[in-house]
Amino acid sequence: MHSGLEYKEQNLHFGGQSLQQIAALQETPFYIYNSQSILSNIEAWQAASDPDRHHICYAVKANSNLAILQIMARQGLGADIVSGGELLRCLQAGIPANRIVYSGVGKTAAEIALALEAGILLFSVESRQELEQINECARRAGVLAAISMRVNPDVDAATHPYISTGLTENKFGIHHDQALAVFQMANRLEHVRISGIGFHIGSQLTSLDGFAAAAQKVRELIPQIESECRLELEWIDCGGGLGIQYNAEEPPAPADYMKLMDQILGIPGKQLAFEPGRHLVGNAGLLVSRVLYTKENGDRRFIICDAAMNDLIRPALYQGYHAVYPVTEHGDPASWNKADLVGPVCESGDFIARQRPLPNLQAGDLVAIHSTGAYGFVMASNYNSRMRAAELLITPEGDLHLARRRETYADLIRGEQLL
Ligand code: LLP
């Protein structure tokens, strides 16, 4: 059983709260996050870091709820953002602009202008054309834009192909063969200041090998760049990607990962940025759903619940595994038979778990879908005109906080106009 969960009198509790009781008050499906678990994840990174040299910039894309961002802000974390929307959320939650790094291959001129106005720490540049755009936006704003070049090291991260980002075939970063030339180009631009170099090779990495190979390639580029461009890089951005345990994975601990990065890239005088997303929040969240019906097609057993691919797309998109716990204890898991836990969306790809040993659940029973704190709600949609779920947060004090109410029909049609 994942940590933070326990059965008390046969009722599943999360962060000390009875899910049965919460579901009596809150319409399902809903997400619920546990602050304590987020705080202990943050602590694992902070305990292993030297605050004068290591900077943890939470990857907002993993879970951008304002209350979650507030927790990050209060713990002194910076942020890694990928859009103007994420920037505004961070500022609203109290993350200082000068601790924000901005990644992504398609920053628009309007987004760049917004980030310059806010005064972010640096832009992670992903192409020559983007570099020119940043230079132009900075010229117009009358400021100097601090940039870091994101290098694509052509390293296999050994993860699902859709979340691998450090290979030549991926759209991300500047190919390592071209990195020096792009640094030289940046050096000639008047309105940018070269501040660093970075990489990010993928997400849900469960081995240190890919990180080491990428860091090594970047390490080799640094002296070349510094001598050819006659400058000193101040920042090295190690990206995110540290995996979590969904099923039987055994991902490295933050301390081991940081130690490795320090061994390869800990150059005196340079600051290291880390951008964990999933690791900080993934295992701190559940999606709670209620069974609507059960049925059998031949020998296939289906359990139809009220959460669907619009609420959690990871199983459909990446064959993602999420542990499913019955909220009321149902005997020995060894006695369970296989079933498909599916949602109401009209797609055969709409499943939460496929051919998974599950108890004899009946209509009205609740299930808790684990490890959904990262890339869960943030990837939710209104497909099939389904309202997006509520997000609850168990606060550090142990209170239940409605971090986002469930959508209503009015939310669903907001912005639309009849002919
Ligand atoms: N930094 C950069 C530049 C990134 O592109 C990402 C994730 C991160 C940091 C954070 O990575 P993390 O520590 O969370 O692995 N939706 C997918 C994951 C997409 C990750 C995209 N980039 C999923 O559900 O698995």
Side-chain angles (χ1 to χ4, degrees):
M1 180 129 79
H2 280 92
S3 72
L5 284 177
E6 67 173 322
Y7 285 102
K8 282 188 207 161
E9 288 164 7
Q10 301 200 317
N11 262 314
L12 191 62
H13 284 62
F14 180 57
Q17 301 263 355
S18 154
L19 294 172
Q20 192 83 52
Q21 275 176 19
I22 296 170
L25 303 170
Q26 171 62 56
E27 193 181 334
T28 52
F30 60 84
Y31 278 93
I32 181 162
Y33 314 122
N34 182 5
S35 307
Q36 282 307 345
S37 142
I38 298 172
L39 290 171
S40 69
N41 294 336
I42 297 173
E43 175 57 21
W45 289 80
Q46 288 183 333
S49 46
D50 166 0
D52 292 333
R53 296 190 304 116
H54 297 142
H55 304 267
I56 300 159
C57 296
Y58 168 60
V60 172
K61 63 175 82 66
N63 186 326
S64 56
N65 186 286
L66 290 176
I68 299 281
L69 295 180
Q70 249 181 324
I71 295 179
M72 306 301 173
R74 287 181 185 164
Q75 298 313 110
L77 267 53
D80 160 52
I81 59 164
V82 291
S83 70
E86 285 190 352
L87 173 61
L88 295 172
R89 283 175 176 276
C90 288
L91 298 177
Q92 183 151 6
I95 297 178
N98 64 6
R99 290 201 191 151
I100 297 178
V101 301
Y102 189 172
S103 320
V105 296
K107 307 172 188 80
T108 67
E111 289 176 313
I112 294 166
L114 192 67
L116 286 172
E117 194 188 329
I120 64 163
L121 175 64
L122 52 85
F123 290 89
S124 188
V125 174
E126 307 230 12
S127 66
R128 287 171 198 260
Q129 291 186 10
E130 186 203 338
L131 177 58
E132 282 170 353
Q133 177 75 275
I134 293 173
N135 185 61
E136 175 55 20
C137 292
R139 186 191 65 75
R140 264 186 257 147
V143 294
L144 202 55
I147 58 158
S148 164
M149 228 66 88
R150 172 165 174 188
V151 174
N152 180 325
D154 194 21
V155 161
D156 188 357
T159 185
H160 190 279
Y162 289 3
I163 53 177
S164 161
T165 55
L167 287 169
T168 305
E169 69 198 55
N170 302 135
K171 67 181 175 180
F172 295 98
I174 295 160
H175 196 265
H176 65 109
D177 284 350
Q178 299 166 25
L180 179 59
V182 181
F183 269 100
Q184 285 168 328
M185 171 185 162
N187 219 10
R188 293 191 292 270
L189 297 175
E190 258 183 76
H191 307 280
V192 301
R193 178 172 65 79
I194 300 174
S195 157
I197 188 166
F199 62 96
H200 168 83
I201 59 167
S203 196
Q204 183 54 14
L205 274 63
T206 52
S207 147
L208 290 175
D209 298 349
F211 288 118
Q216 201 57 52
K217 282 205 171 171
V218 168
R219 177 70 184 85
E220 283 157 21
L221 285 171
I222 293 173
Q224 278 181 47
I225 291 162
E226 292 191 332
S227 72
E228 299 277 334
C229 299
R230 293 206 190 87
L231 54 83
E232 265 198 38
L233 296 170
E234 190 189 343
W235 285 88
I236 305 175
D237 183 340
C238 303
L242 190 63
I244 61 170
Q245 190 188 33
Y246 284 100
N247 187 10
E249 305 88 339
E250 289 178 5
D256 295 329
Y257 157 73
M258 288 178 86
K259 198 165 127 201
L260 176 76
M261 291 298 109
D262 243 347
Q263 276 164 3
I264 303 172
L265 293 166
I267 307 166
K270 298 205 194 305
Q271 306 288 315
L272 294 187
F274 298 94
E275 303 172 347
R278 188 190 317 264
H279 189 275
L280 296 182
V281 292
N283 278 335
L286 300 178
L287 173 60
V288 177
S289 174
R290 200 178 285 281
V291 175
L292 298 170
Y293 306 105
T294 60
K295 69 184 220 177
E296 271 154 37
N297 282 352
D299 54 8
R300 198 95 171 186
R301 179 164 70 109
F302 290 95
I303 300 168
I304 303 157
C305 68
D306 61 8
M309 67 189 293
N310 76 294
D311 300 297
L312 179 69
I313 204 171
R314 302 196 70 264
L317 198 52
Y318 321 107
Q319 291 83 48
Y321 177 101
H322 291 270
V324 176
Y325 295 95
V327 167
T328 308
E329 207 167 13
H330 267 76
D332 182 2
S335 68
W336 298 351
N337 294 320
K338 282 188 178 156
D340 287 12
L341 181 66
V342 302
V345 160
C346 295
E347 302 244 4
S348 292
D350 175 31
F351 57 87
I352 301 288
R354 247 183 181 171
Q355 289 302 283
R356 190 79 67 76
L358 286 170
N360 186 20
L361 294 164
Q362 295 302 324
D365 286 345
L366 293 163
V367 289
I369 304 156
H370 199 266
S371 311
T372 49
Y375 307 112
F377 182 87
V378 284
M379 295 181 81
S381 76
N382 293 118
Y383 186 41
N384 278 202
S385 284
R386 286 168 51 83
M387 274 69 115
R388 281 181 300 169
E391 292 176 282
L392 306 178
L393 177 74
I394 306 170
T395 67
E397 296 75 35
D399 301 324
L400 203 58
H401 171 70
L402 182 61
R404 191 182 207 274
R405 65 161 173 75
R406 183 175 167 76
E407 286 182 336
T408 61
Y409 179 64
D411 293 324
L412 213 52
I413 56 165
R414 191 170 51 189
E416 292 185 33
Q417 295 184 79
L418 288 168
L419 277 178

